[in-house]
Amino acid sequence: MVVLLVAALACSSGSDKSTGDSDDVPGTSAPAREARQEARVHLSEAAYATAKIETAEVEAGSSAAEGAIEISGQVDFDSTRVAVISPRAPGRIERLAAAPGERVVRGQPVAHLSSPQFLTAQSDFVQASRRAAQLAGTPDAEGAAALASAARRRLLVRGASEGAIARLAAGGEPTLTLPVPAPFGGSILDVQALPGTAVEPGTPIFRMADLSTLTVVGDVPERSLAAVRAGAGAVVHVAAYPDVAFTGRVVRTKDALDPTTRTAKVVISVANARRQLKPGMFATVRLRAAVGAVSADGAVAERGLLTVPEAAVVTDGEMRYVFVQTAPRTFERRTVEVAPSASGVATPGLVVVRSGLTPGERIVVRGAFVLKSELAKAAFGEQEG
């Protein structure tokens, strides 16, 4: 079989060599035509059949400019969805109406506070409202209405709800305790004050978080930072649910670099509607990375990049090239610039080509070694001659 292959290839430089040549393209210089001719291989039908060459079309698309970076990370709270629940008036905690792990809704009372200041503010508002109603239509009506409005604002500042104020304005009696509501819907994380504790405005009673959206904080190697940008997609996996893929988006990359690990923190926002993810879980994150030319400031430039099968790229020292089919059984060696893999785990089987190819061209994805050997043999024959 080896003898037949060599014999078949030896016939490839004969009369078939002119088929499909494009050296007479207007505007192409003689040296350029000669260089292209030296990098061209034309196979006979027998040689082509024996080599079992396969080709594929060069395609452009969104995936052409994207690789993948796999990093480790940890699930964490979304810092914009964490809050401390505290009173707006001084007093003493009478009772707690929520426990750690319990889900609450916005406005739900989670604690009740005995507050003399709140009780006084309610009484002042009731009296001011009644006086404003009595003086309506008199010369003192405007002043009385202003006092009632001021009393109402004091109640709002101390944490009274609009509903509670409306009830007082309608003739209701002041309540003995001040409800402390949840600022938004979420889960109670922990209790920071017990019943009977004297508190001031701002004293933490509970800490809560909205767990419907979490973040995953991962470590991106310094060499891959240029390929990570805000808005890029991410897929997160955790050991507790190995068959579940949680999707998210890169929110930001922190500016500081860890001098020991040479990594930077990337923050990924992940939807967690079913509450499967828990803060503190370890995660594996696969980022969709934009691969392109890196400018002076480290930014990744948008370019129309292409991806080709890794098997199509031939390495010869520092040079990288592919074989482009220019006519039936005719192939031209073409030097290409290959983008370095982002962190070494780019999309399996594909490499990004920055220059040297055009969408629509067909390249050799199997049998390139045969063409390389034929070119080397031809060059050796010329040297011997």
Side-chain angles (χ1 to χ4, degrees), residues 20-65:
D21 283 350
S22 57
D23 295 324
D24 295 329
V25 177
T28 303
S29 65
R33 289 196 299 270
E34 292 176 2
R36 293 185 63 182
Q37 184 64 36
E38 291 175 358
R40 183 169 298 167
V41 179
H42 181 77
L43 300 179
S44 65
E45 291 187 7
Y48 182 78
T50 303
K52 297 182 179 180
I53 289 175
E54 295 181 6
T55 63
E57 184 175 323
V58 177
E59 298 181 355
S62 60
S63 62

Side-chain angles (χ1 to χ4, degrees), residues 122 125-127 129-130 133 163-175:
Q122 290 181 93
F125 173 71
V126 169
Q127 294 177 6
S129 298
R130 289 174 180 173
I165 293 176
R167 184 182 58 79
L168 289 173
E173 293 295 323
T175 58

Side-chain angles (χ1 to χ4, degrees), residues 4 31 110 153 158 209 225 315 338 357:
L4 291 175
V110 294
R153 287 194 297 272
R158 284 165 174 75
L225 285 176
T315 301
V338 178
L357 292 175

Side-chain angles (χ1 to χ4, degrees), residues 128-171:
S129 298
R130 289 174 180 173
R131 180 173 175 79
Q134 292 171 356
L135 297 178
T138 69
D140 296 327
E142 184 176 350
L147 290 175
S149 179
R152 183 179 185 278
R153 287 194 297 272
R154 285 195 293 272
L155 272 179
L156 288 173
V157 168
R158 284 165 174 75
S161 66
E162 292 285 357
I165 293 176
R167 184 182 58 79
L168 289 173

Side-chain angles (χ1 to χ4, degrees), residues 45-119:
E45 291 187 7
Y48 182 78
T50 303
K52 297 182 179 180
I53 289 175
E54 295 181 6
T55 63
E57 184 175 323
V58 177
E59 298 181 355
S62 60
S63 62
E66 293 175 354
I69 301 173
E70 190 168 293
I71 61 174
S72 59
Q74 187 168 345
V75 181
D76 201 355
F77 297 104
D78 183 339
S79 60
T80 64
R81 298 170 181 262
V82 180
V84 170
I85 303 177
S86 61
R88 294 188 180 182
R92 184 173 64 88
I93 299 176
E94 289 294 325
R95 66 184 180 91
L96 301 178
E102 183 177 345
R103 295 184 190 178
V104 296
V105 298
R106 178 185 175 89
Q108 177 180 334
V110 294
H112 295 271
L113 195 70
S114 175
S115 172
Q117 283 193 12
F118 178 64
L119 186 59

Side-chain angles (χ1 to χ4, degrees), residues 253-268:
T253 301
K254 296 186 178 181
D255 293 332
L257 193 73
D258 188 316
T260 303
T261 62
R262 308 306 301 173
T263 60
K265 300 291 185 184
V266 62
V267 181
I268 302 145

